[in-house]
Amino acid sequence: MSSFPVTRLRRLRRTSGLRDLVRETRLDLDDFVMPLFVGPEALANDDLPGLARHSVESLGAEADELVRLGVKAVILFGIPEEKDDEGSGAWDEDGIVQRALRELSGRELVLITDVCLCEYTSHGHCGVLKGEEIDNDATLELLARTAVSHVEAGADVVAPSDMMDGRVGAIREELPDTPIIAYSAKYASAFYGPFREAAESAPAFGDRRGYQMDPANVREALRECEQDVAEGADVLMIKPALPYLDVIRAARERFDLPLAAYNVSGEYAMVKAAAAEGFLDERQAALESLTAIKRAGADFVISYWTKELADWL
Ligand code: PBG
């Protein structure tokens, strides 16, 4: 290999035309999924517009706008009117997400649903309780029931995010033809704060460390991915994204399935807050972050910037 002064790496950085030619990673709106929150009433969020809440009625207009902007996919989260111990609102035929799905049907939009109980349980945990413990196996059937109800209401893809062992298999058994995006490596992260506020899904006691992954582990993430592949997942997902780029890279190298990453609410909020303080330029920081997530190996990204990206790209 030649070295300086024969090699001068700056030659290809001289103009934007040259930089465009040799760019290795590009952002394309096709590779982004916009999260949408739907609840009994719309609720604006001035600081974090990506976490605004829509009503079933206002959701249609929002979806139309997204389609017009070129957004291809959304992931739906529901905030029910009432919660109970089991989270029965999650699989209610007339539940909030089921109604939203029926409202959205017929549009050129891939409809993904988050399958979890935490927004629907009065205790805010992602599974049913046995004492103070989350009962893994008893939760599986409820998650599968939820996924089936989503598909019956029009979901194209289901994405289980609860982190119970065996949930992908339980859903796959009921839904042989539905794509499953598995939140395979979902870490017990401090970066979900703004989401939990928006979705009213913070646990009433304890935390999620008994089922979500320890942030210190990467080999374990690969074992989670392996299990999900064996159980019939179509897409693996790593979440959060930015603090876990090494995990994205490791999963990319090991598995041939499409790989997704969730650029979570706290990652979005950090940049929004810093930009509001004048510490950084939001657009530059967001584009750089999303490029890094793709460079690490994600094929597509769930991001609260998806709507703004449509303008930026
Ligand atoms: C539901 C769920 C959560 C997120 C996505 N699905 C919250 C959690 O696990 O506490 C977080 C997404 C975000 O922070 O943007 N279990």
Side-chain angles (χ1 to χ4, degrees):
M1 203 182 3
S2 66
S3 58
F4 178 81
V6 173
T7 299
R8 287 180 182 270
L9 292 169
R10 287 183 54 197
R11 278 179 210 126
L12 291 173
R13 294 179 201 148
R14 200 170 49 81
T15 67
S16 73
L18 283 168
R19 292 193 294 273
D20 287 350
L21 277 178
V22 300
R23 182 157 304 120
E24 299 173 32
T25 308
R26 278 170 213 282
L27 298 184
D28 183 330
L29 201 53
D30 285 1
D31 304 333
F32 287 87
V33 179
M34 181 68 194
L36 289 178
F37 296 85
V38 58
E41 268 136 41
L43 192 63
N45 189 329
D46 293 338
D47 295 329
L48 303 173
L51 287 138
R53 197 183 294 174
H54 304 277
S55 65
V56 171
E57 296 70 33
S58 71
L59 196 64
E62 179 68 13
D64 287 337
E65 193 184 348
L66 291 171
V67 171
R68 189 179 55 73
L69 289 166
V71 172
K72 301 287 174 62
V74 296
I75 181 165
L76 289 174
F77 297 95
I79 302 110
E81 195 127 29
E82 276 164 37
K83 306 184 188 229
D84 59 30
D85 271 2
E86 279 199 307
S88 64
W91 59 84
D92 182 352
E93 198 186 315
D94 263 317
I96 189 80
V97 164
Q98 290 78 0
R99 283 166 50 215
L101 286 162
R102 288 193 290 269
E103 174 74 25
L104 293 182
S105 73
R107 291 181 175 78
E108 280 283 306
L109 212 45
V110 178
L111 302 177
I112 305 169
T113 57
D114 182 90
V115 175
C116 196
L117 302 183
C118 64
E119 293 120 41
Y120 303 90
T121 51
S122 36
H123 46 77
H125 280 289
C126 303
V128 281
L129 296 182
K130 195 158 66 186
E132 300 247 304
E133 291 284 315
I134 315 303
D135 187 338
N136 189 93
D137 297 14
T139 302
L140 298 181
E141 195 241 325
L142 305 182
L143 292 167
R145 215 189 280 179
T146 301
V148 168
S149 79
H150 288 176
V151 170
E152 283 172 352
D156 298 306
V157 182
V158 292
S161 70
D162 51 284
M163 288 303 278
M164 297 301 121
D165 288 318
R167 78 271 167 81
V168 171
I171 293 171
R172 176 54 74 222
E173 212 175 285
E174 299 296 323
L175 295 170
D177 297 322
T178 303
I180 298 176
I181 300 177
Y183 284 75
S184 302
K186 176 172 175 181
Y187 287 87
S189 171
F191 292 95
Y192 306 151
F195 173 97
R196 289 184 189 168
E197 189 126 324
E200 293 174 3
S201 68
F205 65 89
D207 53 42
R208 303 208 205 287
R209 280 183 273 195
Y211 40 106
Q212 298 181 348
M213 276 188 57
D214 184 334
N217 296 350
V218 61
R219 293 194 306 269
E220 187 188 350
L222 298 174
R223 294 186 70 198
E224 284 284 1
C225 290
E226 218 165 70
Q227 292 290 312
D228 288 347
V229 174
E231 290 175 32
D234 299 283
V235 177
L236 303 173
M237 183 152 70
I238 311 297
K239 172 186 175 192
L242 275 187
Y244 297 89
L245 295 180
D246 59 320
V247 182
I248 295 174
R249 168 57 40 190
R252 170 75 300 151
E253 279 168 9
R254 179 85 66 93
F255 301 97
D256 291 328
L257 280 77
L259 185 65
Y262 199 139
N263 174 224
V264 302
S265 59
E267 300 174 57
Y268 170 74
M270 277 197 296
V271 173
K272 282 274 185 201
E277 286 290 321
F279 293 141
L280 16 106
D281 179 88
E282 181 187 357
R283 175 179 164 160
Q284 298 287 349
L287 292 174
E288 183 177 331
S289 301
L290 297 172
T291 301
I293 294 164
K294 295 216 66 192
R295 190 196 60 230
D299 295 300
F300 67 92
V301 184
I302 301 179
S303 175
Y304 299 95
W305 276 299
T306 299
K307 188 175 177 185
E308 282 153 291
L309 259 189
D311 259 347
W312 293 341
L313 295 180

